[in-house]
Amino acid sequence: AGKADYRYADGKWTIKEIFIHLIDTERYYAYRAFCISREVEVDLHFEDRDTYVRNSNAAARTLEDLSSEFSAIRDATISLFKSMTPAMLDFKGSPDKMIYTARSLGWMCVGHNIHHHNILLEKYLTEG
């Protein structure tokens, strides 16, 4: 199993499950940004992240496989945002009563990854 299947406490995700969560969340933010940039409102909820992770088959995957998928998703996200005009990036949509722009969702992708990177460093990859 190794460090990739490590949980720092009961009920916490493994490192592989964190990667699954990052992949899923990037897909979600990118899709929301896509819809908002096209001025289409969709009612898309993503509250129960534990269910997504639980049903992901993370334990059977390798870190290399997850890394490859994450890179592919990130490349697709970058390509999507590069295709948007300033007006598309800044169109305001409110699919769930919160106001978003495609640009704000792009920053959320980045911030979310930084947040989990810090958790990995602080809770998983320590010397303890």
Side-chain angles (χ1 to χ4, degrees):
K3 196 76 164 171
D5 294 306
Y6 169 74
R7 302 173 197 279
Y8 71 89
D10 286 341
K12 296 300 181 183
W13 292 335
T14 66
I15 291 174
K16 289 194 286 189
E17 288 171 334
I18 290 172
F19 272 92
I20 290 285
H21 171 68
L22 292 172
I23 292 164
D24 288 349
T25 303
E26 180 124 350
R27 281 187 171 115
Y28 171 77
Y29 286 152
Y31 183 68
R32 282 195 100 157
F34 165 74
C35 291
I36 289 170
S37 75
R38 302 301 200 271
E39 301 183 26
V40 174
E41 295 211 7
V42 277
D43 188 14
L44 182 64
H45 299 282
F46 193 63
E47 285 95 26
D48 190 4
R49 289 153 176 84
D50 287 322
T51 299
Y52 282 89
V53 169
R54 185 174 47 254
N55 295 320
S56 70
N57 194 32
R61 299 189 58 192
T62 65
L63 278 179
E64 292 78 18
D65 176 46
L66 293 168
S67 177
S68 176
E69 183 176 358
F70 180 82
S71 292
I73 296 302
R74 176 49 56 97
D75 288 346
T77 300
I78 291 168
S79 179
L80 171 66
F81 280 92
K82 280 183 173 181
S83 75
M84 294 179 190
T85 66
M88 293 165 84
L89 285 165
D90 294 326
F91 178 78
K92 292 180 180 159
S94 56
D96 61 3
K97 310 296 185 239
M98 295 280 297
I99 297 173
Y100 297 99
T101 63
R103 187 184 309 275
S104 70
L105 287 159
W107 285 115
M108 289 168 70
C109 281
V110 173
H112 182 253
N113 283 305
I114 291 170
H115 166 72
H116 282 287
H117 176 262
N118 290 336
I119 289 172
L120 284 166
L121 291 176
E122 294 167 12
K123 302 284 187 177
Y124 290 82
L125 303 177
T126 60
E127 293 281 329

